[in-house]
Amino acid sequence: MAVTIADVARAAGVSLSTASYALSGKRRISEATRQRVEAAVADLGYRPHAGAQALASAAPRARTIALMAPLRTGTDTAVVMQFVTAIVLRARHHGLDVLLLTQDDVDGVERVSSGAVVDGVVVLDVRTHDPRVAALDALGRPAVLVGLPASPGGLPCVDLDFEGAGRAAIEHLAAIGHTTVGVVAHADEFREQGASFAVRLARGIHDAGNATGLDVTLVGSDGSGGGTRAAVDAILAAAPDTSAFVVHNEPALPHVLAHLAAHGRTVPGDVSVLAVCPADVAERQSTPVTAVEIPAEHLGAAAVDMLVDRIAESRPAEIRLVAPTLVDRGSTTRR
């Protein structure tokens, strides 16, 4: 595993910010502290990220990045905060501060991008047709999208391959003999309003269902107990032979498990359950759930690294989709 600036800080007995300032020269640090940090760097063999080195030696900058993390109704704040935490920690690794913006309006993009407030922008919760994309592209400020719009223009993107995640979930269930699958998805408004991750996952599920011959019923839930029970009941009413559920809605997952248990359906004995969610969400359920995992920490760190590279020097846009990984925790079984 690569040595990080956090390792250097621990070895030198200083805070992470002090270690960062000692290496970047952003603030005055005592000579004794600077020497301890430099000794830790030498002992551990720490090598700063190439983009960060170029950034530190470039013309004076704000050394702050903006993070647009909209908090919309129905959004699982806990998952959003996983992305936020990963981005803040990786930014700190590069000696950068983070300005958090919780609105998703174009005015906010222009406000932080038009002056010298920030060096670049990371954008979360990207819509299929997102007006922020065109605004950032026109302003020319370095930016990275965590998500995949229909037209990213000249902006780089990084995200989980959600279409691939949908296909992986259905193909796993098909491979173990299931023929009728219910999907408890995010509320219908997520797809209607063009939430890119929700649209792409639903597309992957339906494509895989058609390819494998599975009967798939997708119903949205607002994530509440009542809304989730209604979604499960709607699926079972439409397809009584449903033998497996895919849940792509983190708040709904415990309610799905509880509702099945209340009706005497054991997991995985009577019905299989598979989620698309971060690993910790899958692990902390009453029954640990097999999941196609959303790697929030990896995606957040990758977004910051890509942004640092683009602040340091002009680079062509790229689309980086992380291949889905399915982790079997025993909540699905052969039919």
Side-chain angles (χ1 to χ4, degrees):
M1 183 179 294
V3 176
T4 69
I5 195 170
D7 298 323
V8 171
R10 281 192 293 272
V14 300
S15 69
L16 192 149
S17 60
T18 297
S20 175
Y21 294 145
L23 296 177
S24 68
K26 182 180 176 183
R27 294 186 185 176
R28 182 179 294 277
I29 301 295
S30 72
E31 181 62 20
T33 299
R34 185 182 63 77
Q35 289 180 1
R36 289 208 313 276
V37 171
E38 290 179 350
V41 168
D43 290 343
L44 297 174
Y46 171 65
R47 294 179 179 275
H49 184 276
Q53 287 181 310
L55 178 59
S57 62
R61 297 180 184 272
R63 299 202 63 81
T64 300
I65 61 173
L67 169 58
M68 300 197 76
L71 299 179
R72 299 188 176 98
T73 302
T75 299
D76 185 1
T77 305
V79 174
V80 173
M81 288 309 298
Q82 287 193 23
F83 282 92
V84 172
T85 300
I87 289 166
V88 169
L89 290 176
R90 193 61 178 176
R92 187 182 297 172
H93 169 82
H94 291 300
L96 300 171
D97 293 320
V98 177
L99 174 64
L100 179 63
L101 306 176
T102 57
Q103 300 296 321
D104 63 352
D105 57 300
V106 173
D107 288 344
V109 170
E110 295 176 342
R111 186 170 61 253
V112 299
S113 299
S114 59
V117 178
V118 300
D119 299 319
V121 184
V122 174
V123 182
L124 295 181
D125 195 12
V126 174
R127 299 297 174 108
T128 302
H129 302 286
D130 198 319
R132 297 174 297 173
V133 174
L136 281 167
D137 203 13
L139 287 166
R141 178 74 65 178
V144 174
L145 309 177
V146 181
L148 183 62
S151 300
L155 301 182
C157 308
V158 60
D159 203 4
L160 174 66
D161 179 1
F162 275 99
E163 282 193 46
R167 290 194 299 271
I170 296 301
E171 289 168 357
H172 171 77
L173 295 172
I176 57 176
H178 293 274
T179 58
T180 307
V181 176
V183 179
V184 178
H186 284 279
D188 295 341
E189 65 189 61
F190 275 72
R191 292 176 299 284
E192 292 166 357
Q193 295 174 3
S196 175
F197 69 91
V199 170
R200 289 184 285 134
L201 186 113
R203 185 185 303 133
I205 284 174
H206 287 304
D207 287 350
N210 291 333
T212 59
L214 263 67
D215 179 11
V216 177
T217 303
L218 186 150
V219 178
S221 166
D222 62 6
S224 68
T228 302
R229 289 191 294 272
V232 171
D233 290 343
I235 289 169
L236 293 174
D241 294 334
T242 297
S243 61
F245 283 86
V246 174
V247 183
H248 180 219
N249 184 325
E250 289 86 359
L253 182 55
H255 300 305
V256 170
L257 295 170
H259 193 47
L260 292 172
H263 284 268
R265 299 193 182 207
T266 62
V267 176
D270 297 318
V271 61
S272 291
V273 175
L274 185 155
V276 180
C277 65
D280 70 305
V281 175
E283 291 168 352
R284 69 170 179 251
Q285 302 305 315
S286 56
T287 298
V289 177
T290 294
V292 179
E293 296 186 347
I294 299 175
E297 181 177 350
H298 173 76
L299 293 172
V304 175
D305 288 345
M306 292 167 70
L307 183 63
V308 166
D309 287 340
R310 282 157 180 78
I311 294 171
E313 60 179 333
S314 178
R315 294 195 176 197
E318 63 173 309
I319 295 176
R320 189 183 301 180
L321 295 181
V322 176
T325 299
L326 188 147
V327 177
D328 191 342
R329 296 184 175 86
S331 65
T332 61
T333 190
R334 183 166 296 279
R335 189 66 175 172

